[in-house]
Amino acid sequence: MSVVLYDFWRSSACYRVRIALNLKGIAYRPVDISLTNGAHRAPEYLDKNPQGFVPMLEIDGLQLTQSLAICDYLDAKVETMPFVPKDPAARSKVLAMALVVACDIHPLNNLRILKYLGGQLDVPESARDDWYRHWVQEGFGALEAMAADCGTYLSGETPGLADISLAPQMYNARRFNTDLAPYPTLVRIDEALTALPAFAAAHPDAVKPA
């Protein structure tokens, strides 16, 4: 059975799963679910994924949702290139760094939040951009401190779940012209990550529909 990823090229959550699939060496077929034209709200997609979000991964006869839950499944399925350490303390730190992005930064800056701010609340674009940068800076400030004693990557000497979370958020931070000078460790790690084939192949520029 083929692996199918319901994907949107610029989605941070999809970007995470693309990286995870690449790191685990799992080939997949992407299906574009555009968040800009409302494909995620189409009845046929909602039948598969009632929450109407991306990504969704069809694998092993399952329909998996939520990017970190998908990453956890892939990590349990394929033992090579583990996403979290076995040591409980190290595991907890990697998870905490991943969750800074996935729980504290990304949900506040998700496309549906920005649309709500600009639509129902009539917040001007300049203020929405300020909102976006504020929450990135709040999270990155903490993450920079947490990364002070890390190795080549946030997760150590091999990329893991924290790095899978970081790279997409760095991409988004640059899209919104966030000043990254205060976060030299994160910038250094991101440069190392984007040089890796698994990360480069998952980059939005590499998967953007023609």
Side-chain angles (χ1 to χ4, degrees):
M1 182 179 295
S2 64
V3 177
V4 179
L5 175 63
Y6 293 83
D7 192 16
F8 179 59
W9 67 278
R10 207 165 60 187
S11 160
S12 298
C14 291
Y15 191 173
R16 293 175 202 144
V17 173
R18 293 195 300 266
I19 294 168
L21 287 164
N22 293 344
L23 286 172
K24 293 295 187 179
I26 299 174
Y28 65 93
R29 177 172 64 87
V31 173
D32 183 49
I33 301 293
S34 175
L35 300 183
T36 55
N37 69 13
H40 60 302
R41 306 307 302 175
E44 57 270 25
Y45 186 67
L46 290 174
D47 283 344
K48 295 175 178 288
N49 180 1
Q51 200 172 19
F53 292 168
V54 289
M56 182 177 74
L57 187 70
E58 290 185 342
I59 186 171
D60 299 334
L62 304 170
Q63 293 177 326
L64 306 179
T65 61
Q66 292 292 341
S67 63
L68 294 194
I70 294 171
C71 289
D72 182 68
Y73 179 88
L74 297 176
D75 204 27
K77 179 180 175 66
V78 180
E79 293 184 359
T80 57
M81 190 65 74
F83 293 158
V84 292
K86 289 186 177 180
D87 174 74
R91 176 188 175 93
S92 179
K93 182 171 182 180
V94 167
L95 287 171
M97 290 188 289
L99 294 172
V100 167
V101 174
C103 294
D104 297 335
I105 301 175
H106 180 233
L108 291 165
N109 288 338
N110 194 280
L111 180 60
R112 67 193 182 110
I113 303 302
L114 298 178
K115 283 186 172 181
Y116 184 80
L117 290 172
Q120 284 88 335
L121 299 185
D122 198 27
V123 176
E125 184 176 5
S126 60
R128 277 179 277 148
D129 289 350
D130 287 342
W131 164 282
Y132 193 103
R133 287 187 288 266
H134 171 78
W135 296 114
V136 171
Q137 290 162 348
E138 285 276 310
F140 275 9
L143 196 55
E144 178 74 12
M146 295 167 75
D149 60 351
C150 69
T152 303
Y153 309 108
L154 282 180
S155 302
E157 295 309 311
T158 57
L161 192 63
D163 305 284
I164 290 169
S165 300
L166 175 66
Q169 191 58 62
M170 292 291 282
Y171 167 79
N172 282 342
R174 292 187 175 97
R175 280 184 57 222
F176 283 82
N177 299 311
T178 307
D179 179 12
L180 297 177
Y183 320 112
T185 305
L186 301 186
V187 170
R188 172 185 64 77
I189 292 170
D190 182 58
E191 289 175 352
L193 292 171
T194 53
L196 298 174
F199 282 75
H203 192 282
D205 291 345
V207 301
K208 182 179 180 180

